[in-house]
Amino acid sequence: VDYSGGDPTVVAWVGAEYQRYWDDKRESRGAISRDGGASFSRFENLSPQQFGGNIAVSAGDADNLVWQPSYYLSAWEYTDKPKSTFVTTDGGINWTELPDVGGYRRYHRLMWWFTRTALAADRFEPHTFYLYDDEQHFLRSTDGGMNWEERPFSPPCKEANECHIFGEIAGSPTEPGVLWASAGTAGLFHSGDAGATPWIRSPGIESVVAYGFGAAVEQSGPAVIYLYGRQTGDQANGYFRSIDDGLTWELIGRHPLGNYLNVTSITGDLRIPGRVYVGTSGGGFLYGDPVGSDAR
């Protein structure tokens, strides 16, 4: 799921029936909402390749979307066949297929690795999108996804650190051109110049399963970063937040009650300071507010 930074009532969704991945009759599934999720319209004219993966919506043009599908159609196909990226400029009625964006790249492999987010839109810059693969390459498009350039520096995303499973890239919700990226057991990184200079690692975080952003807890402060992962030297995953752009981290909880399935997503509320949402692997979601909060 993704939303337009310029109009958050526009929400796009793509999905997959994972048990039909190797079935030639599998159904491409995606839809767009223009009323905040109250109703959805199915995407049209889809290719069988448009299956699972990631979707991103332009900040300045909600009809401009990029879809990076899950990577291979058979167990070993990803080793020798590049896959396409798809772009629409009319809200999902028609799609342009772009074979092998950036040369042979592995962006999003199997659809059941839902945490992997290889594609993101800038939350402020129109028609600006980002892609990073699991072989330490980072690309940017500034023309709506039709053309891509490889940037000088990438987050250290590779198979050895499980970034191909847990890696996520996201644009800052408060600053144009500022990006965050996780790299599995390599930690969390950010860039203020879209990879023109080396990415900066956030201290204290040893591994990241998922992360997201919430409203600042201090007036004029940065957006809060919420993270599910492990601090350096810790033996177990936990929920953390940072109110200072990832310089320091506060543990706000462990796996609640020990009876929920694996965490696949975490994010804050950009309207309610302190609120955090957690999604699990088919076991529903939960949310939390700071102790003593009167948020509703």
Side-chain angles (χ1 to χ4, degrees):
V1 175
D2 192 39
Y3 68 92
S4 171
D7 182 2
T9 65
V10 178
V11 181
W13 167 88
V14 296
E17 295 176 280
Y18 75 88
Q19 74 274 16
R20 299 190 65 182
Y21 196 79
W22 289 283
D23 186 341
D24 290 338
K25 297 180 181 179
R26 66 187 178 278
E27 180 184 2
S28 299
R29 307 171 77 181
I32 188 168
S33 171
R34 300 184 185 276
D35 54 16
S39 62
F40 280 84
S41 299
R42 281 178 174 264
F43 292 143
E44 302 178 39
N45 302 310
L46 297 180
S47 159
Q49 278 199 56
Q50 289 172 270
F51 194 76
N54 305 143
I55 191 82
V57 189
S58 170
D61 178 1
D63 286 328
N64 179 201
L65 298 89
V66 177
W67 188 345
Q68 183 63 52
S70 294
Y71 207 76
Y72 54 93
L73 307 182
S74 66
W76 305 109
E77 188 173 336
Y78 76 90
T79 61
D80 56 11
K81 293 184 180 180
K83 287 288 168 272
S84 298
T85 301
F86 294 83
V87 178
T88 180
T89 58
D90 57 14
I93 299 174
N94 298 286
W95 297 85
T96 299
E97 181 177 355
L98 305 175
D100 195 18
V101 165
Y104 172 57
R105 296 284 184 262
R106 294 187 292 183
Y107 295 111
H108 192 289
R109 301 196 204 175
L110 289 176
M111 85 301 298
W112 51 76
W113 290 343
F114 286 120
T115 304
R116 174 65 172 152
T117 306
L119 168 70
D122 195 287
R123 293 303 185 199
F124 295 89
E125 299 291 343
H127 306 125
T128 301
F129 296 89
Y130 308 99
L131 265 171
Y132 78 139
D133 72 358
D134 52 30
E135 294 176 325
Q136 303 188 81
H137 300 96
F138 173 65
L139 293 87
R140 178 180 67 176
S141 173
T142 57
D143 65 356
M146 298 302 296
N147 295 281
W148 298 81
E149 61 167 348
E150 184 168 347
R151 303 294 287 164
F153 295 93
S154 170
C157 187
K158 52 189 177 180
E159 187 168 355
N161 57 33
E162 299 183 335
C163 183
H164 67 301
I165 302 174
F166 299 115
E168 297 183 56
I169 189 166
S172 166
T174 58
E175 299 176 90
V178 175
L179 302 171
W180 291 83
S182 59
T185 56
L188 182 69
F189 297 78
H190 73 274
S191 171
D193 54 19
T197 56
W199 292 64
I200 299 171
R201 182 174 183 175
S202 293
I205 296 298
E206 189 171 280
S207 70
V208 183
V209 174
Y211 71 96
F213 305 98
V217 297
E218 298 178 358
Q219 190 173 6
S220 73
V224 174
I225 306 170
Y226 293 93
L227 182 147
Y228 181 67
R230 192 172 67 252
Q231 265 187 322
T232 303
D234 211 343
Q235 298 300 309
N237 287 338
Y239 304 110
F240 297 89
R241 76 172 187 177
S242 173
I243 64 173
D244 56 10
D245 268 344
L247 293 177
T248 61
W249 297 88
E250 172 190 6
L251 177 68
I252 59 174
R254 297 287 184 190
H255 212 43
L257 306 179
N259 61 1
Y260 285 93
L261 298 176
N262 292 333
V263 171
T264 55
S265 60
I266 184 171
T267 192
D269 193 306
L270 289 171
R271 300 163 299 179
I272 304 174
R275 177 166 291 182
V276 58
Y277 301 92
V278 176
T280 63
S281 303
F285 75 94
L286 46 146
Y287 75 91
D289 291 313
V291 175
S293 170
D294 59 358
R296 294 290 186 271

